[in-house]
């Protein structure tokens, strides 16, 4: 299928690597893609708009208003036009603007309006690339669900040799082709995903909860929707937002509310992913008024909450795939395999909260996946957006082998 008919919006920023983009455009046009170009003013110092307009067969946008032609470039229209937005090369300066929401030119304004998948290929000197600020900004974009096209090690414009060289056009082309090949891998599938914590009230102002941010569940919802699925995201109280039209969000607070909603929905789903950190216990009695600080000790009786994963997996319908998560602090594999068996799940995703950079409240995760066919796979520490892609790939392969 390649890129035939695909609409690709390329953002070019001020980097010497911009000289490679004419070659990339020619490759895309040969694939019968529709290509439009946006440039920052400094990018014009490295490659001319005339060259890019000639190769792409479309006018190049630099300023919101083109005084010479009298043409207005609507950043909203450009963002809505694109099937994918590619930043190549991406300078440290524009990277920082994207991470912080600064819109001082047409390119960054279009970026903020974009709802399509975003790919970015940094290009800069090795010390700039390795600087903590740059690395943090890259992590921020990845946390948004954007895909990093990692720079390579090689000769740089400074004369140094190191990491920071933009990936070659042929490889960027193949990455986009692979993206579109995967974009319909879950077309027609209905996916139920739970995310975030639950809050179990002690009194009108206090509750029992946990540190889950919901990032993993939201990343999964974004990935499955991007690959064509119709996603229902049932989430506990989080500060996250999601804007993909393929995601229907349902907000709940307590474990009981999440259980009730999931039990209402799951029979109509093809895939159920339990990524939420649901409370195992709740107060057996909720005080009607705020509990005053009077006694030296306070005893709160607790009772078990319903087990959503078990209740769904034990009554799942033929063809449904049920995926659970196991957050452990020790004996991870043993506990994950026990959960896989005891809950009657098809797949368990294990991550160890004891490992730095893994677990609640962080942007990265390190996982192992186990399935009921006694297959397993271990993954490196990655941003949660990339982890979500690994999980989706595993589920796709599992379905292909078992259904």
């Amino acid at each position: 299928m390649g890129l035939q008919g695909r609409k690709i919006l390329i953002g070019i920023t001020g980097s010497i690597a911009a000289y490679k983009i004419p070659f990339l455009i020619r490759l895309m046009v040969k694939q019968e893609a529709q290509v439009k170009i946006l440039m920052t003013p400094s990018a014009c110092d490295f490659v001319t708009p005339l060259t890019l307009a000639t190769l792409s067969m479309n006018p190049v946008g630099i300023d919101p208003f083109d005084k010479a032609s009298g043409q207005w470039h609507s950043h909203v229209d450009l963002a809505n036009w694109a099937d994918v937005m590619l930043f190549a090369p991406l300078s440290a300066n524009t990277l920082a603007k994207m991470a912080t929401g600064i819109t001082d030119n047409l390119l960054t304004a279009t970026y903020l309006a974009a709802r399509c998948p975003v790919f970015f290929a940094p290009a800069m000197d090795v010390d700039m690339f390795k600087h903590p600020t740059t690395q943090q900004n890259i992590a921020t974009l990845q946390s948004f669900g954007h895909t990093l096209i990692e720079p390579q090690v090689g000769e740089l414009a400074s004369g140094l040799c190191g990491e920071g060289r933009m990936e070659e056009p042929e490889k960027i082309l193949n990455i986009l082709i692979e993206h579109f090949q995967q974009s319909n891998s879950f077309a027609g599938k209905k996916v139920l995903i739970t995310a975030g914590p639950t809050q179990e009230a002690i009194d009108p102002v206090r509750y029992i909860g946990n540190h889950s941010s919901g990032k993993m569940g939201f990343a999964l919802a974004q990935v499955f929707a991007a690959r064509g699925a119709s996603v229902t995201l049932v989430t506990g109280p989080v500060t996250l937002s999601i804007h993909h039209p393929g995601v229907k969000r349902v907000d709940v607070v307590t474990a009981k509310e999440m259980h009730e909603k999931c039990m209402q929905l799951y029979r109509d789903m093809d895939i159920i992913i339990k990524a939420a950190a649901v409370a195992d216990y709740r107060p057996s009695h909720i005080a009607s008024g705020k509990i005053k600080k009077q006694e030296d000790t306070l005893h709160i009786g607790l009772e078990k909450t319903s087990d959503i994963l078990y209740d769904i997996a034990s009554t799942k319908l033929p063809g449904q795939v049920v995926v659970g998560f196991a957050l452990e602090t020790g004996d991870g594999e043993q506990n994950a395999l026990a959960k896989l068996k005891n809950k009657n799940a098809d797949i368990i995703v294990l991550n160890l909260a004891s490992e730095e950079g893994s677990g609640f409240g962080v942007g990265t995760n390190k996982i192992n996946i186990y399935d009921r066919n006694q297959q397993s796979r271990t993954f490196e520490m990655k941003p949660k957006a990339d982890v979500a892609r690994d999980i989706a790939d595993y589920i796709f392969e599992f379905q292909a082998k078992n259904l």
Side-chain angles (χ1 to χ4, degrees):
M1 181 176 67
L3 297 180
Q4 184 177 16
R6 299 297 186 178
K7 300 173 182 177
I8 302 173
L9 183 60
I10 302 178
I12 305 174
T13 69
S15 166
I16 186 63
Y19 81 88
K20 297 181 180 180
I21 302 306
F23 299 98
L24 177 60
I25 294 171
R26 290 198 64 178
L27 292 172
M28 290 179 173
V29 172
K30 285 183 177 180
Q31 288 275 327
E32 300 184 42
Q34 300 179 49
V35 181
K36 291 186 178 182
I37 311 294
L38 296 179
M39 302 176 72
T40 62
S42 60
C44 300
D45 294 332
F46 298 96
V47 63
T48 68
L50 178 59
T51 298
L52 301 173
T54 302
L55 292 172
S56 66
M57 295 176 286
N58 279 305
V60 173
I62 302 170
D63 298 310
F65 180 72
D66 188 338
K67 295 179 181 179
S69 65
Q71 184 177 3
W72 169 256
H73 298 291
S74 169
H75 65 283
V76 175
D77 290 344
L78 285 164
N80 289 337
W81 172 84
D83 292 324
V84 70
M85 191 170 187
L86 167 67
F87 286 81
L90 178 59
S91 66
N93 184 47
T94 300
L95 170 64
K97 292 178 181 180
M98 294 167 66
T100 54
I102 295 175
T103 56
D104 61 352
N105 57 46
L106 176 61
L107 176 56
T108 52
T110 304
Y111 162 69
L112 278 194
R115 300 176 67 179
C116 62
V118 174
F119 290 74
F120 63 105
M124 62 197 72
D125 200 66
V126 58
D127 294 319
M128 295 175 69
F129 179 73
K130 290 185 176 181
H131 193 280
T133 302
T134 301
Q135 292 300 308
Q136 179 59 52
N137 289 337
I138 289 173
T140 297
L141 294 197
Q142 289 179 304
S143 75
F144 296 161
H146 303 340
T147 301
L148 168 66
I149 301 177
E150 294 191 24
Q152 301 303 301
V153 175
E155 291 186 10
L156 305 172
S158 64
L160 298 175
C161 185
E163 196 171 8
R165 183 183 176 92
M166 191 186 80
E167 183 58 272
E168 295 302 317
E170 295 83 358
K171 182 62 181 295
I172 294 175
L173 181 79
N174 289 334
I175 289 171
L176 292 181
I177 290 173
E178 183 179 353
H179 161 73
F180 285 114
Q181 287 175 341
Q182 293 179 338
S183 63
N184 293 316
S185 57
F186 290 100
K189 299 292 185 181
K190 296 181 179 180
V191 182
L192 174 63
I193 299 173
T194 66
T198 61
Q199 296 177 355
E200 312 302 324
I202 298 172
D203 62 20
V205 299
R206 302 181 181 91
Y207 61 86
I208 296 173
N210 57 61
H211 298 296
S212 174
S213 64
K215 291 178 180 178
M216 191 70 255
F218 274 67
L220 284 163
Q222 185 75 31
V223 166
F224 275 92
R227 297 188 183 186
S230 176
V231 178
T232 301
L233 176 65
V234 180
T235 177
V238 297
T239 60
L240 304 175
S241 59
I242 192 164
H243 304 291
H244 197 289
V247 179
K248 177 184 177 182
R249 175 172 175 167
V250 179
D251 288 282
V252 298
V253 176
T254 67
K256 182 180 179 181
E257 290 172 351
M258 186 172 284
H259 180 271
E260 290 175 350
K261 184 57 64 175
C262 289
M263 296 308 292
Q264 291 172 9
L265 296 170
Y266 87 94
R267 290 184 176 275
D268 194 38
M269 301 293 166
D270 299 294
I271 301 168
I272 301 100
I273 305 175
K274 275 286 290 92
V278 182
D280 294 321
Y281 293 89
R282 61 172 171 250
S284 53
H285 171 74
I286 302 174
S288 59
K290 178 183 176 182
I291 300 172
K292 298 296 184 179
K293 185 177 180 181
Q294 295 175 334
E295 306 297 332
D296 291 336
T297 60
L298 175 66
H299 298 281
I300 300 174
L302 300 176
E303 62 184 20
K304 275 188 176 182
T305 59
S306 300
D307 192 325
I308 303 174
L309 178 60
Y310 176 81
D311 288 348
I312 290 176
S314 61
T315 57
K316 65 185 176 185
L317 303 176
Q320 286 185 319
V321 175
V322 180
V323 181
F325 274 66
L327 178 70
E328 304 292 343
T329 57
D331 298 325
E333 181 172 349
Q334 179 180 343
N335 289 328
L337 291 173
K339 188 171 188 177
L340 178 68
K341 179 180 178 181
N342 296 337
K343 307 289 188 181
N344 196 39
D346 296 295
I347 296 170
I348 288 290
V349 181
L350 166 68
N351 64 289
L352 293 173
S354 56
E355 291 197 25
E356 185 177 355
S358 180
F360 289 156
V362 295
T364 55
N365 215 349
K366 184 176 185 299
I367 64 167
N368 292 1
I369 301 181
Y370 306 89
D371 66 42
R372 59 178 167 83
N373 297 324
Q374 299 183 333
Q375 300 297 308
S376 65
R377 194 172 302 167
T378 299
F379 298 86
E380 298 177 352
M381 187 80 68
K382 298 181 180 181
K384 286 182 176 177
D386 291 340
V387 174
R389 296 184 186 98
D390 289 337
I391 294 171
D393 290 343
Y394 195 99
I395 293 172
F396 182 80
E397 293 173 14
F398 180 88
Q399 284 186 311
K401 294 176 182 176
N402 294 275
L403 301 180

